Coordinates of all heavy atoms in Angstrom, one line a residue:
M1 N 1.3 -90.3 -225.6 CA 2.3 -89.3 -225.4 C 2.7 -88.7 -226.8 O 3.0 -89.5 -227.6 CB 3.4 -89.7 -224.5 CG 4.3 -88.6 -224.2 SD 5.7 -89.1 -222.9 CE 5.7 -90.9 -223.0
S2 N 2.7 -87.5 -226.8 CA 3.1 -86.9 -228.1 C 4.6 -86.8 -228.4 O 5.4 -87.0 -227.4 CB 2.6 -85.4 -228.3 OG 3.4 -84.6 -227.6
D3 N 5.0 -86.8 -229.6 CA 6.4 -86.8 -229.9 C 7.1 -85.5 -229.4 O 8.3 -85.5 -228.9 CB 6.7 -86.7 -231.4 CG 6.4 -88.0 -232.2 OD1 6.3 -89.0 -231.5 OD2 6.2 -88.0 -233.4
V4 N 6.4 -84.4 -229.3 CA 6.9 -83.2 -228.7 C 7.1 -83.4 -227.0 O 8.3 -83.1 -226.7 CB 6.0 -81.9 -228.7 CG1 6.3 -80.8 -228.0 CG2 5.8 -81.6 -230.3
I5 N 6.3 -84.0 -226.5 CA 6.5 -84.3 -225.0 C 7.6 -85.3 -224.9 O 8.6 -85.1 -224.0 CB 5.3 -85.0 -224.4 CG1 4.2 -83.7 -224.3 CG2 5.5 -85.4 -222.9 CD1 4.5 -82.6 -223.5
T6 N 7.7 -86.4 -225.6 CA 8.8 -87.3 -225.6 C 10.2 -86.7 -225.7 O 11.0 -86.9 -225.0 CB 8.6 -88.4 -226.7 OG1 7.4 -89.1 -226.4 CG2 9.7 -89.5 -226.6
K7 N 10.3 -85.8 -226.8 CA 11.6 -85.1 -226.9 C 11.9 -84.1 -225.9 O 13.1 -83.9 -225.5 CB 11.5 -84.4 -228.3 CG 11.6 -85.3 -229.6 CD 11.5 -84.7 -230.9 CE 11.4 -85.7 -232.0 NZ 11.4 -85.1 -233.3
A8 N 10.9 -83.5 -225.4 CA 11.1 -82.6 -224.2 C 11.6 -83.3 -223.0 O 12.5 -82.8 -222.3 CB 9.9 -81.7 -223.9
V9 N 11.0 -84.4 -222.8 CA 11.4 -85.3 -221.6 C 12.9 -85.7 -221.8 O 13.6 -85.5 -220.7 CB 10.5 -86.5 -221.4 CG1 11.2 -87.5 -220.4 CG2 9.1 -86.1 -220.9
E10 N 13.3 -86.1 -222.9 CA 14.7 -86.5 -223.3 C 15.6 -85.3 -223.1 O 16.7 -85.4 -222.5 CB 14.8 -87.1 -224.7 CG 14.1 -88.4 -224.8 CD 14.0 -88.8 -226.4 OE1 14.5 -88.1 -227.2 OE2 13.4 -89.8 -226.5
G11 N 15.2 -84.1 -223.7 CA 16.0 -83.0 -223.4 C 16.2 -82.5 -222.0 O 17.3 -82.1 -221.6
L12 N 15.1 -82.4 -221.2 CA 15.2 -82.0 -219.8 C 15.9 -83.0 -219.0 O 16.7 -82.6 -218.2 CB 13.8 -81.8 -219.4 CG 13.0 -80.6 -219.7 CD1 11.4 -80.7 -219.3 CD2 13.7 -79.4 -219.0
S13 N 15.8 -84.4 -219.4 CA 16.6 -85.3 -218.6 C 18.0 -85.2 -218.7 O 18.7 -85.5 -217.8 CB 16.0 -86.7 -219.0 OG 14.7 -87.0 -218.7
A14 N 18.4 -84.7 -219.9 CA 19.9 -84.6 -220.1 C 20.4 -83.4 -219.3 O 21.6 -83.3 -218.9 CB 20.0 -84.2 -221.7
K15 N 19.5 -82.4 -218.9 CA 19.9 -81.1 -218.3 C 19.8 -81.2 -216.7 O 20.5 -80.7 -216.0 CB 19.3 -80.0 -218.8 CG 19.7 -79.6 -220.2 CD 19.0 -78.4 -220.7 CE 19.7 -78.0 -222.0 NZ 20.5 -76.7 -222.0
V16 N 18.7 -82.0 -216.4 CA 18.2 -82.0 -215.0 C 18.1 -83.5 -214.4 O 17.2 -84.2 -215.0 CB 16.8 -81.3 -214.8 CG1 16.4 -81.4 -213.4 CG2 17.0 -80.0 -215.4
S17 N 18.9 -83.8 -213.6 CA 18.7 -85.2 -213.1 C 17.8 -85.3 -212.0 O 17.0 -86.4 -211.8 CB 20.3 -85.8 -212.6 OG 20.7 -84.9 -211.7
S18 N 17.7 -84.3 -211.0 CA 16.6 -84.1 -210.1 C 16.4 -82.7 -209.6 O 17.3 -82.0 -210.1 CB 17.0 -85.0 -208.8 OG 18.1 -84.5 -208.1
F19 N 15.4 -82.5 -208.9 CA 15.0 -81.1 -208.7 C 14.5 -81.1 -207.2 O 13.7 -82.0 -206.9 CB 14.1 -80.5 -209.7 CG 13.7 -79.1 -209.4 CD1 14.7 -78.1 -209.8 CD2 12.4 -78.8 -209.0 CE1 14.3 -76.8 -209.5 CE2 12.1 -77.4 -208.9 CZ 12.9 -76.4 -209.2
D20 N 14.9 -80.1 -206.4 CA 14.4 -80.0 -205.0 C 13.2 -79.2 -205.0 O 13.1 -78.0 -204.9 CB 15.5 -79.2 -204.1 CG 15.2 -79.4 -202.6 OD1 14.4 -80.2 -202.2 OD2 15.6 -78.5 -201.9
G21 N 12.0 -79.9 -205.3 CA 10.7 -79.4 -205.4 C 10.1 -80.1 -206.5 O 10.6 -81.1 -206.9
V22 N 8.8 -79.5 -206.8 CA 8.0 -80.2 -208.0 C 7.7 -79.1 -208.9 O 7.1 -78.1 -208.6 CB 6.7 -80.8 -207.4 CG1 6.0 -81.5 -208.5 CG2 7.0 -81.8 -206.4
A23 N 8.2 -79.2 -210.1 CA 7.9 -78.3 -211.3 C 7.2 -78.9 -212.3 O 7.4 -80.3 -212.6 CB 9.3 -77.7 -211.8
K24 N 6.3 -78.3 -213.1 CA 5.5 -78.8 -214.1 C 5.8 -77.9 -215.4 O 5.6 -76.6 -215.2 CB 4.2 -78.9 -213.8 CG 3.3 -79.3 -215.0 CD 1.8 -79.8 -214.7 CE 1.1 -78.9 -213.8 NZ -0.3 -79.3 -213.6
F25 N 6.2 -78.4 -216.5 CA 6.2 -77.7 -217.7 C 4.9 -78.1 -218.6 O 4.6 -79.3 -218.8 CB 7.5 -78.1 -218.5 CG 8.8 -77.5 -218.1 CD1 9.5 -78.4 -217.2 CD2 9.1 -76.2 -218.3 CE1 10.8 -77.7 -216.7 CE2 10.3 -75.6 -217.8 CZ 11.1 -76.5 -217.0
V26 N 4.1 -77.2 -219.0 CA 3.0 -77.4 -219.8 C 3.2 -76.9 -221.3 O 3.5 -75.7 -221.4 CB 1.8 -76.7 -219.2 CG1 0.6 -76.8 -220.1 CG2 1.4 -77.2 -217.8
I27 N 3.0 -77.7 -222.2 CA 3.1 -77.3 -223.7 C 1.6 -77.5 -224.1 O 1.1 -78.6 -224.3 CB 4.0 -78.2 -224.4 CG1 5.3 -78.1 -223.8 CG2 4.1 -77.8 -225.8 CD1 6.5 -79.2 -224.3
P28 N 1.0 -76.3 -224.3 CA -0.5 -76.4 -224.8 C -0.7 -77.3 -226.0 O 0.0 -77.2 -227.0 CB -0.9 -74.9 -224.9 CG 0.0 -74.1 -224.1 CD 1.4 -75.0 -224.1
G29 N -1.6 -78.0 -225.9 CA -1.9 -79.1 -227.0 C -1.2 -80.1 -227.1 O -1.3 -81.1 -227.9
E30 N -0.1 -80.4 -226.2 CA 0.8 -81.4 -226.3 C 0.7 -82.3 -225.0 O 0.7 -83.5 -225.1 CB 2.2 -81.1 -226.5 CG 2.3 -80.3 -228.0 CD 2.2 -81.3 -229.1 OE1 2.2 -82.5 -229.0 OE2 1.9 -80.6 -230.2
G31 N 0.8 -81.6 -223.8 CA 0.9 -82.3 -222.6 C 1.6 -81.6 -221.6 O 2.0 -80.4 -221.7
A32 N 2.1 -82.4 -220.5 CA 2.8 -81.8 -219.5 C 4.0 -82.7 -219.1 O 3.9 -83.9 -219.2 CB 1.9 -81.6 -218.2
I33 N 5.0 -82.1 -218.4 CA 6.2 -82.8 -217.9 C 6.5 -82.3 -216.5 O 6.3 -81.3 -216.2 CB 7.4 -82.4 -218.8 CG1 7.2 -82.6 -220.4 CG2 8.7 -83.1 -218.4 CD1 8.0 -81.9 -221.3
M34 N 6.8 -83.4 -215.7 CA 7.1 -83.2 -214.3 C 8.4 -83.3 -214.1 O 9.2 -84.2 -214.7 CB 6.2 -84.1 -213.5 CG 4.7 -84.1 -213.6 SD 4.0 -82.5 -213.2 CE 4.4 -82.3 -211.6
I35 N 9.1 -82.5 -213.2 CA 10.5 -82.6 -212.7 C 10.3 -82.6 -211.1 O 9.9 -81.5 -210.7 CB 11.3 -81.4 -213.2 CG1 11.3 -81.4 -214.7 CG2 12.7 -81.5 -212.8 CD1 12.1 -80.2 -215.3
D36 N 11.0 -83.5 -210.6 CA 11.1 -83.6 -209.1 C 12.3 -84.3 -208.6 O 13.2 -84.6 -209.5 CB 9.8 -84.1 -208.4 CG 9.4 -85.5 -209.0 OD1 10.3 -86.3 -209.4 OD2 8.3 -85.8 -208.8
Q37 N 12.3 -84.7 -207.5 CA 13.5 -85.4 -207.0 C 13.7 -86.7 -207.5 O 14.8 -87.3 -207.5 CB 13.4 -85.5 -205.4 CG 12.4 -86.7 -204.8 CD 11.0 -85.9 -204.8 OE1 10.8 -84.7 -205.0 NE2 10.0 -86.7 -204.3
N38 N 12.8 -87.3 -208.2 CA 12.8 -88.5 -209.1 C 13.3 -88.5 -210.4 O 13.5 -89.4 -211.2 CB 11.5 -89.3 -208.9 CG 11.1 -89.7 -207.4 OD1 12.1 -90.2 -206.8 ND2 10.1 -89.5 -207.2
G39 N 13.4 -87.3 -210.8 CA 13.8 -86.9 -212.1 C 12.8 -86.3 -213.2 O 11.9 -85.6 -212.6
V40 N 12.8 -86.6 -214.4 CA 11.8 -86.0 -215.4 C 11.0 -87.2 -215.8 O 11.5 -88.3 -216.2 CB 12.7 -85.4 -216.5 CG1 11.8 -84.6 -217.6 CG2 13.7 -84.3 -216.0
R41 N 9.6 -86.8 -216.1 CA 8.6 -87.8 -216.6 C 7.5 -87.0 -217.2 O 7.2 -85.9 -216.9 CB 8.1 -88.7 -215.6 CG 7.4 -88.1 -214.5 CD 7.1 -89.1 -213.4 NE 6.3 -88.4 -212.5 CZ 6.7 -87.4 -211.6 NH1 7.9 -87.1 -211.6 NH2 5.8 -87.0 -210.6
A42 N 6.9 -87.7 -218.3 CA 5.7 -87.1 -218.8 C 4.6 -87.3 -217.8 O 4.4 -88.4 -217.4 CB 5.3 -87.8 -220.1
A43 N 3.9 -86.3 -217.3 CA 2.8 -86.5 -216.3 C 2.2 -85.1 -216.1 O 2.7 -84.1 -216.5 CB 3.3 -87.0 -215.0
D44 N 1.0 -85.1 -215.6 CA 0.2 -83.8 -215.2 C -0.2 -84.0 -213.9 O -1.3 -84.5 -213.6 CB -0.9 -83.6 -216.2 CG -1.4 -82.2 -216.1 OD1 -1.1 -81.6 -215.3 OD2 -2.3 -82.0 -216.9
E45 N 0.6 -83.4 -212.9 CA 0.3 -83.5 -211.5 C 0.4 -82.2 -210.8 O 0.8 -81.1 -211.5 CB 1.3 -84.5 -210.8 CG 1.2 -85.8 -211.4 CD 2.5 -86.8 -211.0 OE1 3.3 -86.3 -210.3 OE2 2.5 -87.8 -211.5
E46 N 0.1 -82.1 -209.5 CA 0.2 -80.9 -208.8 C 1.8 -80.5 -208.7 O 2.6 -81.4 -208.6 CB -0.4 -81.0 -207.4 CG -1.9 -81.1 -207.3 CD -2.5 -79.9 -207.8 OE1 -2.1 -78.7 -207.3 OE2 -3.5 -79.9 -208.6
A47 N 2.0 -79.1 -208.7 CA 3.5 -78.8 -208.7 C 3.5 -77.4 -207.9 O 2.5 -76.8 -207.7 CB 3.9 -78.6 -210.1
D48 N 4.7 -77.2 -207.5 CA 5.1 -76.0 -206.7 C 5.2 -74.8 -207.6 O 4.7 -73.7 -207.2 CB 6.4 -76.1 -206.0 CG 6.5 -77.2 -204.9 OD1 5.3 -77.4 -204.2 OD2 7.5 -77.9 -204.9
V49 N 5.6 -75.1 -208.9 CA 5.6 -74.2 -209.9 C 5.3 -74.7 -211.2 O 5.6 -75.9 -211.6 CB 6.9 -73.4 -210.1 CG1 8.0 -74.4 -210.3 CG2 7.0 -72.2 -210.9
T50 N 4.4 -74.0 -212.1 CA 4.1 -74.4 -213.4 C 4.6 -73.4 -214.4 O 4.3 -72.3 -214.3 CB 2.6 -74.5 -213.4 OG1 2.1 -75.6 -212.6 CG2 2.1 -75.1 -214.9
L51 N 5.3 -73.9 -215.4 CA 5.8 -73.0 -216.4 C 5.1 -73.5 -217.7 O 5.0 -74.6 -218.1 CB 7.3 -73.3 -216.6 CG 8.2 -72.9 -215.4 CD1 8.3 -74.0 -214.5 CD2 9.4 -72.1 -215.8
T52 N 4.6 -72.5 -218.5 CA 3.8 -72.8 -219.6 C 4.3 -72.0 -220.9 O 4.7 -70.9 -220.7 CB 2.3 -72.3 -219.4 OG1 1.8 -73.1 -218.3 CG2 1.5 -72.8 -220.7
A53 N 4.6 -72.7 -222.0 CA 5.0 -72.1 -223.3 C 4.6 -73.0 -224.4 O 4.5 -74.3 -224.3 CB 6.5 -71.8 -223.2
E54 N 4.7 -72.5 -225.5 CA 4.5 -73.3 -226.8 C 5.7 -74.1 -227.0 O 6.7 -73.9 -226.5 CB 4.4 -72.3 -227.9 CG 3.1 -71.4 -227.9 CD 1.8 -72.2 -227.9 OE1 1.7 -73.3 -228.6 OE2 0.8 -71.8 -227.1
A55 N 5.5 -75.1 -227.8 CA 6.5 -76.2 -228.1 C 7.8 -75.6 -228.6 O 8.9 -75.9 -228.2 CB 6.0 -77.3 -229.1
E56 N 7.7 -74.5 -229.4 CA 8.9 -74.0 -230.1 C 9.7 -73.2 -229.2 O 10.9 -73.0 -229.2 CB 8.6 -73.1 -231.4 CG 7.7 -72.0 -231.1 CD 6.2 -72.3 -231.4 OE1 5.9 -73.5 -231.4 OE2 5.3 -71.3 -231.2
V57 N 9.0 -72.7 -228.1 CA 9.7 -71.9 -227.1 C 10.5 -72.9 -226.3 O 11.7 -72.7 -225.8 CB 8.7 -71.0 -226.2 CG1 9.5 -70.4 -225.0 CG2 8.1 -70.0 -227.1
F58 N 9.9 -74.0 -225.8 CA 10.6 -75.0 -225.0 C 11.7 -75.6 -225.8 O 12.8 -75.8 -225.1 CB 9.6 -76.1 -224.5 CG 8.9 -75.8 -223.3 CD1 7.4 -75.7 -223.2 CD2 9.5 -75.6 -222.1 CE1 6.8 -75.4 -222.1 CE2 8.9 -75.3 -220.9 CZ 7.5 -75.2 -220.9
R59 N 11.6 -75.8 -227.0 CA 12.7 -76.4 -227.8 C 13.8 -75.5 -227.8 O 15.0 -75.8 -227.6 CB 12.2 -76.7 -229.2 CG 13.3 -77.2 -230.2 CD 13.1 -77.1 -231.5 NE 12.8 -75.7 -232.1 CZ 13.8 -74.7 -232.1 NH1 14.9 -75.0 -231.8 NH2 13.4 -73.5 -232.3
A60 N 13.5 -74.1 -228.0 CA 14.6 -73.0 -228.1 C 15.3 -73.1 -226.8 O 16.5 -72.8 -226.8 CB 14.0 -71.8 -228.4
I61 N 14.5 -73.1 -225.6 CA 15.1 -73.1 -224.4 C 16.1 -74.2 -224.1 O 17.2 -74.1 -223.7 CB 14.2 -72.9 -223.2 CG1 13.4 -71.5 -223.3 CG2 14.8 -73.2 -221.8 CD1 12.2 -71.4 -222.4
L62 N 15.5 -75.4 -224.5 CA 16.2 -76.6 -224.2 C 17.6 -76.7 -225.1 O 18.6 -77.2 -224.7 CB 15.5 -77.9 -224.5 CG 14.3 -78.2 -223.6 CD1 13.6 -79.2 -223.9 CD2 15.1 -78.4 -222.2
E63 N 17.5 -76.0 -226.2 CA 18.7 -76.1 -227.2 C 19.6 -74.9 -226.9 O 20.7 -74.9 -227.7 CB 18.2 -76.2 -228.7 CG 17.5 -77.5 -228.9 CD 17.1 -77.6 -230.3 OE1 17.2 -76.7 -231.2 OE2 16.4 -78.6 -230.7
G64 N 19.3 -74.1 -226.0 CA 20.1 -73.0 -225.6 C 20.1 -71.7 -226.5 O 20.9 -70.9 -226.6
E65 N 19.0 -71.8 -227.4 CA 18.7 -70.7 -228.4 C 18.0 -69.5 -227.8 O 18.0 -68.4 -228.3 CB 18.0 -71.2 -229.7 CG 18.7 -72.2 -230.4 CD 17.9 -72.9 -231.5 OE1 16.7 -72.6 -231.5 OE2 18.4 -73.7 -232.1
M66 N 17.3 -69.8 -226.6 CA 16.7 -68.8 -226.0 C 16.9 -68.9 -224.4 O 16.7 -69.9 -223.9 CB 15.1 -68.9 -226.2 CG 14.1 -67.9 -225.6 SD 12.4 -68.2 -225.9 CE 12.5 -67.8 -227.8
N67 N 17.1 -67.8 -223.8 CA 17.3 -67.6 -222.4 C 15.9 -67.7 -221.7 O 15.0 -67.1 -222.0 CB 17.9 -66.4 -222.0 CG 18.2 -66.2 -220.5 OD1 17.3 -66.0 -219.8 ND2 19.5 -66.2 -220.2
P68 N 15.8 -68.5 -220.8 CA 14.4 -68.8 -220.0 C 14.0 -67.4 -219.5 O 12.8 -67.1 -219.4 CB 14.7 -69.8 -218.9 CG 15.9 -70.5 -219.3 CD 16.7 -69.6 -220.1
T69 N 14.9 -66.7 -218.9 CA 14.5 -65.3 -218.3 C 13.9 -64.3 -219.4 O 12.9 -63.8 -219.2 CB 15.7 -64.7 -217.5 OG1 16.1 -65.7 -216.5 CG2 15.2 -63.4 -216.8
A70 N 14.6 -64.4 -220.5 CA 14.2 -63.6 -221.6 C 12.9 -64.0 -222.1 O 11.9 -63.3 -222.6 CB 15.3 -63.7 -222.8
A71 N 12.6 -65.3 -222.2 CA 11.2 -65.9 -222.6 C 10.2 -65.5 -221.7 O 9.2 -65.1 -222.1 CB 11.3 -67.4 -222.7
F72 N 10.5 -65.4 -220.4 CA 9.5 -65.0 -219.4 C 9.3 -63.4 -219.5 O 8.2 -63.0 -219.6 CB 10.0 -65.3 -218.1 CG 9.1 -64.6 -216.9 CD1 7.9 -65.2 -216.6 CD2 9.6 -63.6 -216.2 CE1 7.2 -64.7 -215.6 CE2 8.8 -63.0 -215.2 CZ 7.6 -63.6 -214.8
M73 N 10.3 -62.7 -219.6 CA 10.2 -61.2 -219.7 C 9.6 -60.7 -221.0 O 8.8 -59.8 -220.9 CB 11.6 -60.6 -219.7 CG 12.4 -60.8 -218.3 SD 11.5 -60.1 -216.9 CE 11.8 -58.5 -217.0
T74 N 9.5 -61.6 -222.0 CA 8.8 -61.2 -223.2 C 7.5 -61.8 -223.4 O 6.9 -61.8 -224.5 CB 9.8 -61.6 -224.5 OG1 9.9 -63.0 -224.6 CG2 11.1 -60.8 -224.6
G75 N 7.1 -62.6 -222.3 CA 5.7 -63.1 -222.4 C 5.6 -64.4 -223.1 O 4.5 -64.9 -223.3
K76 N 6.7 -65.1 -223.6 CA 6.7 -66.4 -224.3 C 6.6 -67.5 -223.3 O 6.2 -68.6 -223.7 CB 8.0 -66.5 -225.2 CG 7.9 -65.4 -226.3 CD 9.2 -65.5 -227.1 CE 9.0 -64.4 -228.2 NZ 10.3 -64.5 -229.0
L77 N 6.9 -67.3 -222.0 CA 7.0 -68.2 -221.0 C 6.2 -67.7 -219.8 O 6.6 -66.7 -219.3 CB 8.3 -68.7 -220.7 CG 8.5 -69.6 -219.4 CD1 8.1 -71.0 -219.7 CD2 10.0 -69.6 -219.0
S78 N 5.2 -68.4 -219.3 CA 4.4 -67.9 -218.2 C 4.8 -68.8 -216.9 O 5.0 -70.1 -217.0 CB 2.9 -67.8 -218.4 OG 2.5 -69.1 -218.6
V79 N 4.8 -68.2 -215.8 CA 5.1 -68.9 -214.6 C 4.0 -68.7 -213.7 O 3.6 -67.6 -213.3 CB 6.4 -68.3 -214.0 CG1 6.7 -69.0 -212.7 CG2 7.5 -68.6 -214.9
D80 N 3.5 -69.8 -213.1 CA 2.5 -69.7 -211.8 C 3.0 -70.5 -210.8 O 3.3 -71.7 -211.0 CB 1.2 -70.3 -212.5 CG 0.1 -70.3 -211.4 OD1 -0.1 -69.3 -210.8 OD2 -0.8 -71.2 -211.4
G81 N 3.1 -69.9 -209.7 CA 3.6 -70.6 -208.4 C 4.9 -69.9 -208.0 O 5.2 -68.8 -208.0
N82 N 5.7 -70.8 -207.4 CA 6.9 -70.4 -206.7 C 7.9 -69.8 -207.6 O 8.5 -70.7 -208.3 CB 7.5 -71.6 -205.9 CG 8.6 -71.4 -205.0 OD1 9.5 -70.6 -205.5 ND2 8.6 -71.9 -203.8
M83 N 8.1 -68.6 -207.6 CA 9.1 -67.9 -208.5 C 10.5 -68.2 -208.3 O 11.3 -68.3 -209.1 CB 8.8 -66.4 -208.4 CG 9.6 -65.7 -209.5 SD 9.2 -66.0 -211.2 CE 7.6 -65.1 -211.5
G84 N 10.8 -68.6 -207.1 CA 12.2 -69.0 -206.7 C 12.6 -70.3 -207.3 O 13.6 -70.4 -207.9
M85 N 11.6 -71.1 -207.3 CA 11.9 -72.5 -208.0 C 12.0 -72.3 -209.5 O 12.7 -72.8 -210.2 CB 10.8 -73.4 -207.7 CG 10.9 -74.1 -206.3 SD 9.8 -75.4 -206.3 CE 9.9 -75.8 -204.5
A86 N 11.2 -71.4 -210.0 CA 11.3 -71.1 -211.5 C 12.6 -70.5 -211.9 O 13.2 -70.8 -212.8 CB 10.2 -70.1 -211.9
M87 N 13.2 -69.7 -210.9 CA 14.6 -69.1 -211.2 C 15.6 -70.1 -211.1 O 16.5 -70.2 -211.8 CB 14.8 -67.9 -210.2 CG 13.9 -66.7 -210.5 SD 13.9 -65.5 -209.2 CE 15.6 -65.0 -209.4
Q88 N 15.4 -71.2 -210.1 CA 16.4 -72.2 -210.0 C 16.4 -73.1 -211.3 O 17.4 -73.4 -211.9 CB 15.9 -73.2 -208.9 CG 16.3 -72.5 -207.6 CD 15.9 -73.5 -206.4 OE1 15.3 -74.6 -206.7 NE2 16.0 -73.2 -205.2
L89 N 15.2 -73.4 -211.9 CA 15.1 -74.0 -213.2 C 15.7 -73.3 -214.3 O 16.5 -73.9 -215.0 CB 13.7 -74.5 -213.5 CG 13.1 -75.6 -212.8 CD1 11.5 -75.7 -213.2 CD2 13.8 -76.8 -213.4
G90 N 15.5 -71.8 -214.2 CA 16.1 -71.1 -215.3 C 17.6 -71.2 -215.3 O 18.2 -71.1 -216.3
A91 N 18.1 -71.2 -214.1 CA 19.6 -71.3 -214.1 C 20.1 -72.6 -214.5 O 21.2 -72.6 -215.2 CB 20.1 -71.1 -212.5
V92 N 19.3 -73.7 -214.3 CA 19.8 -75.1 -214.8 C 19.7 -75.1 -216.3 O 20.5 -75.5 -217.0 CB 19.0 -76.1 -214.1 CG1 19.1 -77.5 -214.8 CG2 19.3 -76.2 -212.6
L93 N 18.6 -74.4 -216.9 CA 18.3 -74.6 -218.2 C 19.0 -73.6 -219.1 O 19.2 -73.7 -220.3 CB 16.7 -74.5 -218.5 CG 16.0 -75.6 -218.0 CD1 14.5 -75.4 -218.1 CD2 16.3 -76.9 -218.4
G94 N 19.4 -72.4 -218.5 CA 19.9 -71.3 -219.3 C 21.4 -71.5 -219.4 O 22.0 -71.1 -220.2

């Protein structure tokens, strides 16, 4: 597991204790992070919604420097799957 994924898991765990559904964050070249009712972990599994962004975008979102909706609207964050779940995550992270 990369340092980027390890730090992202730690950052997401601090913000999200559990999630009603299954979401996956993909950081190209680094790996994937799953969020579900059991919490946050490094893994690459099937999900209801998949969010993909470069490492610096995820870092900025986690640190509150970038709004998830703004990242999506500017093409820095892509969403595939259940948009309602993506919006729920955006509210938690934003």
Side-chain angles (χ1 to χ4, degrees):
M1 181 173 17
S2 77
D3 287 342
V4 170
I5 294 295
T6 300
K7 289 179 182 176
V9 167
E10 291 170 2
L12 283 168
S13 294
K15 291 185 174 247
V16 182
S17 59
S18 69
F19 183 68
D20 188 26
V22 181
K24 176 168 45 175
F25 288 98
V26 175
I27 302 173
E30 300 292 341
I33 302 160
M34 303 300 299
I35 301 175
D36 58 21
Q37 67 277 3
N38 297 317
V40 181
R41 68 190 179 286
D44 190 356
E45 303 165 1
E46 289 294 315
D48 299 317
V49 63
T50 301
L51 298 95
T52 305
E54 295 298 324
E56 60 271 7
V57 173
F58 274 118
R59 181 203 53 76
I61 291 171
L62 288 176
E63 293 179 2
E65 297 172 2
M66 182 180 294
N67 179 288
T69 303
F72 174 73
M73 297 300 282
T74 58
K76 294 178 181 178
L77 174 69
S78 66
V79 177
D80 183 36
N82 188 315
M83 189 59 81
M85 283 189 188
M87 291 173 63
Q88 288 176 359
L89 275 175
V92 171
L93 298 175

